[in-house]
Structures are given as structure tokens and as C-alpha cells.
Amino acid sequence: MVQIILNGCNGKMGKVVSNLAQNSDTLSIVAGIDRNSSGTYYPVFSSIEECNVSADVILDFSRPDALDSLIKYAKSNNLGVILCTTGYSDNQIKTINDISKEIPVFRSANMSIGVNVVNNILKNISALLYKNFDIEVIEKHHNQKVDSPSGTALLLADTIKASLPEEVSYVNGRNGIRKRKHNEIGIHSIRGGSIVGEHEIIFAGQGETIEIKHTALSRDVFAVGALKACEFMYKKEKGLYSMDDVISVKN
């Protein structure tokens, strides 16, 4: 049984994860961390420093500013940490990469298995299509999302960029009067209502268009992926892991 400390347990995603974990035979949430320390079926602490419950991993669905305290606690208690938060700065990403040399760290911009399958498809087709197709990424989220472009949009764009034979640049939205350059990847963000998450990659050629799209209909898809990541990270050695590792595991 994998025992989990859930950081951000009373947030939107934290509550979804808690509900799904209740029905699991392979893992359990043994403690939660949240500024809103209202109770649930496990004890909740207002800060991770106060947590005195033994666990195997820390699962984080909170904000980037929690990173330092999570890493310090994970290192002190020799725990793996699963980071599902987006919006990290370049310095924070460097910190994550550095600490993975000491403890097991899992980081993914999107915990959906479907999104990560799409990401792997892009690794295989982007270079084949690039010469004859322009590439645009469109992402849509609810009106409370704070980071833009989304971490997932950047994940997908970075995957495309890494697979191309020449250097390309990102254009976040399009404004002004000028023609599109071929070595651009457009990234466009839409915020509104209660959209859970939608990502579309458009390959636009002469006389034909290829569109690859993923739509999250419920936050459950992210919670399912996060819990699978917790199972994957159980007793892992130090290192940096991602959803690529999870979806490549043969059942």
C-alpha cells in the first residue's frame, strides 16, 4: 500500500484526488497539507513542516511557491515527490533537476495519460510534417487558471521544437500586421468559464490540415494519472521521472 501526503488537498484537484483514492486498494492518502486546514478522512496540516505522519511519497497539486518547503521535507524524510504543479520559473526547474540527483522526483506538466500519448505522437510526426506544414498550438482553460500559456501547451510545443531539424521560435498569440514565418510555432491561450482543459495542435499545409486534439471532460483524468504516478514512484531510486516513464511501463 503506497502511503501519500497530499499537498494542496483542499484545492479543486486535491479534492478530486482524495475522492478517487478512497476507493483504491493499492494506495491511501495518510495526510494532507493545505492553508485551509479543514478536515477530511485524513489529518490535514496547515504547513508541511507540521506534518508528523509517515508516508512513502508526497503528491503536490498546489502552487510553485510551495516547492522549496516540499523539497526540504522530502529530502529530510527520504521521500519521493510527485510535482503536478505548473508555472515553475527557470530557476525552480533547475532546482528540481538538481534535487533529483539526491531523491526521486517526478515532474509532469500534465498528468493525463491521453495528453502524454499525444505528446509521444508529436515526437514521431513533427519532423516529418514540418517542411510542408505550419504548426500552431491552441489551449483552452477555465477562467481561474493563473498561468498562460498552460504548462501542457509548453510541454507539447517543446516536444515539437526538440524534434525539428532547425531552430524555431514561439509566438504567443498574434498581434500586428506581418506575415507568419515558417520557423514559428504559434501558441494561443483561451480562458473562460469552467473549461477543464483542451489542447489542439494544428499542422496547416497547402490544401490540407491535420489536427490532433485532446479534451479533458473531467478533472478525474488528471487525478487518475497522478495516482498512477504515485504507484510508479513507490520505492524508486533517486532520479528525475515523468509521465513518459509511467505510460511506458508494461502492465
Side-chain angles (χ1 to χ4, degrees):
M1 180 74 73
V2 184
Q3 297 183 318
I4 303 167
I5 296 172
L6 177 57
N7 191 53
C9 63
N10 285 323
K12 290 179 180 178
M13 274 307 308
K15 290 177 180 178
V16 176
V17 171
S18 295
N19 289 336
L20 286 180
Q22 269 190 294
N23 300 316
S24 175
D25 296 325
T26 59
L27 50 81
S28 65
I29 299 174
V30 294
I33 312 297
D34 204 287
R35 292 173 183 172
N36 170 16
S37 57
S38 58
T40 179
Y41 63 89
Y42 49 78
V44 179
F45 303 89
S46 58
S47 70
I48 196 162
E49 292 85 359
E50 298 174 6
C51 182
N52 57 5
V53 179
S54 297
D56 299 304
V57 296
I58 303 169
L59 175 59
D60 176 46
F61 271 107
S62 60
R63 297 174 70 92
D65 58 14
L67 180 64
D68 289 344
S69 61
L70 289 177
I71 287 176
K72 182 178 179 181
Y73 186 91
K75 186 178 176 180
S76 296
N77 293 276
N78 196 30
L79 301 179
V81 57
I82 296 96
L83 301 171
C84 306
T85 298
T86 60
Y88 290 119
S89 67
D90 290 343
N91 285 337
Q92 287 177 312
I93 292 173
K94 182 181 184 303
T95 297
I96 292 167
N97 293 337
D98 289 344
I99 199 64
S100 70
K101 298 172 184 176
E102 301 180 49
I103 61 173
V105 178
F106 183 105
R107 176 176 171 259
S108 181
N110 191 299
M111 302 305 295
S112 159
I113 293 172
V115 161
N116 285 278
V117 170
V118 167
N119 194 49
N120 275 275
I121 292 171
L122 294 175
K123 291 178 184 178
N124 294 320
I125 69 170
S126 297
L128 297 173
L129 297 174
Y130 175 69
K131 181 178 179 180
N132 299 306
F133 290 79
D134 296 320
I135 306 172
E136 301 279 305
V137 178
I138 301 172
E139 58 98 350
K140 303 175 185 177
H141 284 89
H142 54 88
N143 58 19
Q144 298 300 301
K145 185 169 179 61
V146 295
D147 56 317
S148 175
S150 70
T152 302
L154 293 173
L155 167 71
L156 300 173
D158 287 347
T159 293
I160 295 169
K161 184 177 183 179
S163 69
L164 298 181
E166 66 180 57
E167 193 67 27
V168 296
S169 60
Y170 297 155
V171 175
N172 294 320
R174 295 196 179 276
N175 186 37
I177 302 173
R178 75 170 180 87
K179 291 183 179 180
R180 184 195 198 281
K181 297 179 181 178
H182 181 62
N183 67 336
E184 294 175 349
I185 298 176
I187 306 177
H188 312 277
S189 299
I190 295 171
R191 297 289 177 268
S194 59
I195 301 171
V196 174
E198 184 176 301
H199 295 85
E200 182 176 8
I201 305 92
I202 300 173
F203 295 87
Q206 294 299 315
E208 61 181 335
T209 300
I210 300 170
E211 299 180 8
I212 301 174
K213 181 178 179 181
H214 178 274
T215 301
L217 303 177
S218 163
R219 288 186 173 86
D220 284 8
V221 298
F222 310 122
V224 168
L227 293 174
K228 284 184 178 295
C230 289
E231 292 178 332
F232 172 82
M233 289 293 285
Y234 182 60
K235 293 188 177 180
K236 276 287 183 293
E237 297 294 326
K238 63 185 178 182
L240 185 62
Y241 303 90
S242 72
M243 283 299 289
D244 279 350
D245 299 300
V246 173
I247 64 178
S248 66
V249 173
K250 297 186 183 298
N251 296 319

